[in-house]
Amino acid sequence: MITGTAKKPEEPGPVSLAAPARTSDGPAARRPAPGRAGGGLFDPGQLIGSFPAALRKLDPRVMVGSPVMFVVLIGSVVTTVLALLDPTDWFGWAITSWLWLTTVFANLAEAVAEGRGKAQADTLRRTRTDTVARRIIGTHEERVPGTELRVGDLVVCEAGDTVPGDGDVVEGVASVDESAITGESAPVIRESGGDRSAVTGGTKVLSDRVVVRITTKPGETFIDRMISLVEGAARQKTPNEIALNILLASLTVVFLLAVVTLQPFATYAGARQSTTVLAALLVCLIPTTIGALLSAIGIAGMDRLVRRNVLAVSGRAVEAAGDVSTLLLDKTGTITLGNRRAAELVPVEGVTQAELADAAQLSSLADETPEGRSVVVLAQERYGSEVRRRGELTGAAWVEFTAQTRMSGVDLVEDGARRAVRKGAAGSVVAWVEERGGSVAPDARERADRIARAGGTPLLVALQDADGARVLGVVHLKDVVKDGMRERFEELRRMGIRTVMVTGDNPLTARAVAEEAGVDDFLAEATPEDKMALIKREQAGGRLVAMTGDGTNDAPALAQADVGVAMNTGTSAAKEAGNMMDLDSDPTKLIEIVGIGKQLLITRGALTTFSIANDVAKYFAIIPAMFAAAYPGLDRLNLMRLASAESAILSAVVFNALIIVALVPLALKGVRYRPMGADRMLRRNLALYGLGGLVTPFAGIKLIDLLISLIPGIG
């Protein structure tokens, strides 16, 4: 294992956290997940559909899960009983009605969030079919319902068959349609061995024949778990959410004691208050806004991941993503394009650029690898070489590239002269030249060594003609860093996140790529043990670590990481080890996942700040109204100059209910995250949501008071 620190980028620039679109073995990162519900945040159909669920949540056994809203429910029941005892008390009925609406609005926020997940789950249910499996028993097959399969069973799937359960391909290779899971119409290849052996129940085999070993029990398949997750049924409260619930419950108890002890003082002052007024005061003072929206914020956070085709095993994983301070990113396919490309043609002394470009193109026409095709493109587009095609060169003897020879080329006759050109690994080309009595110029070796030291891969281009065999120059292959990666890493750095590139490459190559990409550190020649050791060292320093992986050898590190994102194309071991799964198998999406996690935490903090701040304004509305008659001096606290005591109290209760509805879109969509330091973010949130939470109720309550005062008999 070799580590090193990469040089920092010099000219960073801002860029969106959105991952770039993919074009291989997966859809674009921003393509909607299956079953994505349409409509806006206040889609009328969705609201109407969620209303019955909101009413069902009035069950005290459900409401007790939210201490704040449970107190509101009790207050609603108490004021209802009092209103029934005095049917002529319009004030009591008004307060009762709005307390019930407050409770229903709180449940509606959660129901809408859950309803969006249920819409996705319904689509997934339609993809789940009862399949008949061809189970292998000894030397023969038997047809059994897919529900009877057990872990370890071997089943045969041929073209047209639906995979009956989750498993691993142990024999054969096939093209598989996974659109039921990922929504991507392009088929993917699944084969035995390697990191692309996992298949999912409900997907369809399009070609060939494979034998699959079942790895999950009926009812516990990937689709079953996905349905449960997107519905929210499997969502458990995260540690931060539990801590915030405890804080809200504590504040509720404090305000409850304050309101209960207020009555004796009011009686002593000759201003005894009705139970209805005390219930209204309690509901307005406790943090009902965040208490109503807290669950919806958590559900919406998981929903945002699902809409990006990422499944989180629990809300804890989403929350952990927001606190991540170290990102482990694989080099190939994540930071780089994954295929080395020709970047430069370097001729030796005495050879022109045009000669080298023509020879490099000719020798690469028989090389169908991405590297070979990139040499042809480079020669034609950058160096203006004449376009050559294999079909136009009659009588040419092509030498195809193979892993054994590590060379490609052509023997041909042009204008009566015989020529042979070769391009390939330095050792193979040098041996070819020397076998033909040629020699390799010292500057060719020097140029190849310089490219290797810079982290690139040198390929030699050689020619044999009437003048003998000789090396014409060097092709510089390099693993191309994806566009915009430097800027994205700079943005992560502003977020306080340290990036580490993990690769099996040698240290020279790793350092060169790390410096070009702008990562903070790198781990070269990494083994599974090295990855585990790195994660444990980071965690020992109090940092949370996130990483991606798809192979069985990644499973230990995925399990150790605080956020382990397994690729859908990966092995079953990797999927079981991670606490998130990317259906698109796009490793760069880890950066977007971190952004979603931070957005969840910021949304929760912003709305908590707003909720506590707006309680202050409601205090100035209700307290002066309750005691102004007994203590005229308190009228100075009636800053809003509200019309009457009844109007002031009712206006505060009405505002308390309506503000929940107004904040539902923000809770579901999330507060926009902008990379900045923690201190700057705190100041921004206090200024925007703290000051906003203080000012908004003054304006809202005054407006409602003006409307109420226009009603005959009230104003």
Side-chain angles (χ1 to χ4, degrees):
M1 175 189 68
I2 300 176
T3 60
T5 301
K7 189 165 59 179
K8 297 291 188 299
E10 297 176 358
E11 296 182 358
V15 72
S16 170
L17 278 176
R22 302 185 70 229
T23 56
S24 60
D25 199 41
R30 290 205 175 271
R31 179 184 44 73
R36 177 170 182 171
L41 294 171
F42 272 141
D43 178 23
Q46 196 172 64
L47 284 175
I48 294 172
S50 301
F51 195 77
L55 294 179
R56 288 193 295 270
K57 289 178 179 291
L58 292 175
D59 185 340
R61 293 169 297 182
V62 177
M63 295 293 296
V64 74
S66 174
V68 175
M69 299 315 301
F70 185 66
V71 169
V72 179
L73 177 66
I74 294 175
S76 304
V77 172
V78 170
T79 56
T80 300
V81 172
L82 295 175
L84 290 172
L85 293 176
D86 186 4
T88 61
D89 182 13
W90 70 266
F91 179 75
W93 280 111
I95 294 294
T96 298
S97 301
W98 282 101
L99 290 185
W100 278 112
L101 284 175
T102 303
T103 311
V104 172
F105 289 161
N107 291 342
L108 189 62
E110 184 175 354
V112 168
E114 291 177 348
R116 291 157 63 134
K118 284 183 170 63
Q120 296 169 336
D122 290 340
T123 300
L124 289 170
R125 282 196 182 91
R126 290 194 290 270
T127 68
R128 186 173 55 183
T129 58
D130 295 328
T131 58
V132 176
R134 297 163 56 187
R135 183 166 59 185
I136 298 176
I137 302 295
T139 59
H140 66 280
E141 299 177 7
E142 66 173 1
R143 291 184 175 272
V144 297
T147 54
E148 293 185 9
L149 293 175
R150 295 295 178 263
V151 175
D153 284 350
L154 297 177
V155 296
V156 176
C157 296
E158 294 183 328
D161 291 344
T162 298
V163 179
D166 294 356
D168 289 321
V169 176
V170 295
E171 179 184 320
V173 58
S175 177
V176 179
D177 176 11
E178 294 188 341
S179 59
I181 305 298
T182 66
E184 174 61 36
S185 58
V188 296
I189 300 298
R190 293 291 176 261
E191 57 187 338
S192 59
D195 296 338
R196 297 183 182 272
S197 61
V199 291
T200 304
T203 58
K204 189 175 183 179
V205 177
L206 299 179
S207 68
D208 303 293
R209 175 185 184 274
V210 290
V211 176
V212 177
R213 178 182 288 116
I214 299 300
T215 58
T216 57
K217 300 176 182 178
E220 298 179 5
T221 64
F222 178 72
I223 288 184
D224 291 316
R225 286 187 293 146
M226 188 173 178
I227 290 171
S228 179
L229 287 168
V230 299
E231 280 185 322
R235 195 190 85 88
Q236 297 181 352
K237 292 182 178 179
T238 64
N240 283 352
E241 194 173 345
I242 292 172
L244 184 54
N245 258 320
I246 293 173
L247 173 63
L248 298 181
S250 302
L251 290 174
T252 301
V253 171
V254 169
F255 283 120
L256 179 61
L257 293 175
V259 170
V260 169
T261 56
L262 190 64
Q263 187 70 303
F265 290 103
T267 303
Y268 175 79
R272 182 178 177 83
Q273 303 296 320
S274 68
T275 304
T276 299
V277 170
L278 293 176
L281 174 64
L282 176 62
V283 169
C284 288
L285 293 185
I286 62 178
T288 52
T289 306
I290 185 61
L293 299 174
L294 185 58
S295 182
I297 293 170
I299 295 172
M302 294 187 71
D303 177 68
R304 281 192 289 276
L305 278 180
V306 171
R307 288 169 182 268
R308 287 163 177 80
N309 269 10
V310 177
L311 291 185
V313 173
S314 68
R316 182 190 297 265
V318 186
E319 193 172 89
D323 285 330
V324 160
S325 53
T326 302
L327 240 60
L328 268 60
L329 298 167
D330 186 52
K331 176 182 77 71
T332 306
T334 304
I335 296 175
T336 65
L337 294 174
N339 295 320
R340 293 172 302 174
R341 294 184 178 182
E344 184 183 10
L345 299 179
V346 184
V348 299
E349 188 175 346
V351 177
T352 66
Q353 198 82 62
E355 287 179 288
L356 176 59
D358 185 62
Q361 179 186 187
L362 278 172
S363 59
S364 299
L365 291 175
D367 184 357
E368 293 299 326
T369 65
E371 292 88 348
R373 291 194 294 270
S374 72
V375 174
V376 175
V377 172
L378 181 70
Q380 294 174 357
E381 294 185 356
R382 181 185 295 184
Y383 297 99
S385 181
E386 178 187 353
V387 177
R388 303 283 197 127
R389 295 182 176 85
R390 290 182 62 168
E392 298 174 354
L393 299 173
T394 58
W398 297 99
V399 179
E400 306 285 346
F401 176 85
T402 67
Q404 289 73 33
T405 64
R406 299 193 300 165
M407 276 198 313
S408 64
V410 61
D411 298 334
L412 73 164
V413 178
E414 286 186 322
D415 300 327
R418 293 183 177 274
R419 287 200 303 161
V421 289
R422 296 290 186 272
K423 179 223 67 194
S428 300
V429 174
V430 167
W432 182 83
V433 170
E434 291 177 346
E435 284 175 4
R436 285 153 180 77
S439 61
V440 180
D443 60 334
R445 298 182 185 273
E446 185 273 329
R447 285 165 170 74
D449 290 341
R450 186 174 69 246
I451 290 172
R453 286 194 299 270
T457 301
L459 299 179
L460 297 184
V461 179
L463 168 69
Q464 183 185 22
D465 57 12
D467 296 329
R470 60 194 183 278
V471 173
L472 299 180
V474 186
V475 178
H476 181 184
L477 289 184
K478 62 184 296 186
D479 203 351
V480 179
V481 174
K482 293 180 178 178
D483 291 339
M485 292 306 295
R486 175 181 286 271
E487 289 80 7
R488 296 175 75 185
F489 288 139
E490 177 59 30
E491 186 161 355
L492 288 171
R493 196 172 292 114
R494 291 198 298 271
M495 294 161 61
I497 296 175
R498 177 171 172 264
T499 52
V500 180
M501 183 186 77
V502 180
T503 177
D505 287 343
N506 64 73
L508 287 175
T509 301
R511 181 178 296 278
V513 174
E515 290 180 353
E516 182 179 355
V519 296
D520 298 308
D521 204 350
F522 65 88
L523 179 67
E525 298 178 350
T527 65
E529 293 77 13
D530 295 334
K531 296 177 187 177
M532 279 282 290
L534 175 59
I535 292 173
K536 288 181 178 180
R537 285 200 306 273
E538 292 291 322
Q539 291 172 333
R543 292 179 285 271
L544 295 187
V545 180
M547 73 162 289
T548 60
D550 59 1
T552 301
N553 62 343
D554 291 324
L558 285 172
Q560 180 67 35
D562 300 284
V563 179
V565 183
M567 301 293 102
N568 185 43
T569 56
T571 62
S572 297
K575 293 179 182 179
E576 291 296 328
N579 52 19
M580 287 190 187
M581 188 184 306
D582 178 16
L583 301 182
D584 294 339
S585 299
D586 178 5
T588 61
K589 202 181 292 183
L590 178 59
I591 299 174
E592 192 171 0
I593 290 171
V594 170
I596 293 172
K598 287 190 174 294
Q599 185 183 38
L600 170 65
L601 296 179
I602 292 169
T603 301
R604 187 185 296 154
L607 291 183
T608 301
T609 303
F610 185 92
S611 177
I612 294 175
N614 72 25
D615 289 337
V616 176
K618 288 178 282 188
Y619 166 86
F620 281 101
I622 295 181
I623 296 298
M626 291 173 62
F627 295 102
Y631 299 102
L634 284 177
D635 190 56
R636 296 177 182 175
L637 294 178
N638 185 11
L639 302 179
M640 292 172 275
R641 315 314 302 172
L642 302 178
S644 65
E646 291 83 0
S647 175
I649 296 171
L650 182 57
S651 297
V653 172
V654 171
F655 175 84
N656 194 60
L658 294 181
I659 196 64
I660 294 174
V661 181
L663 291 175
V664 168
L666 185 61
L668 298 183
K669 185 179 180 181
V671 175
R672 182 183 177 186
Y673 172 68
R674 296 177 180 175
M676 61 182 70
D679 55 342
R680 183 182 170 193
M681 185 179 300
L682 178 61
R683 290 195 301 270
R684 175 179 176 271
N685 283 349
L686 287 177
L688 183 59
Y689 296 99
L691 186 60
L694 195 63
V695 173
T696 302
F698 279 94
I701 291 173
K702 178 61 178 178
L703 178 61
I704 295 171
D705 174 73
L706 291 175
L707 296 176
I708 291 176
S709 63
L710 297 177
I711 301 175
I714 296 179

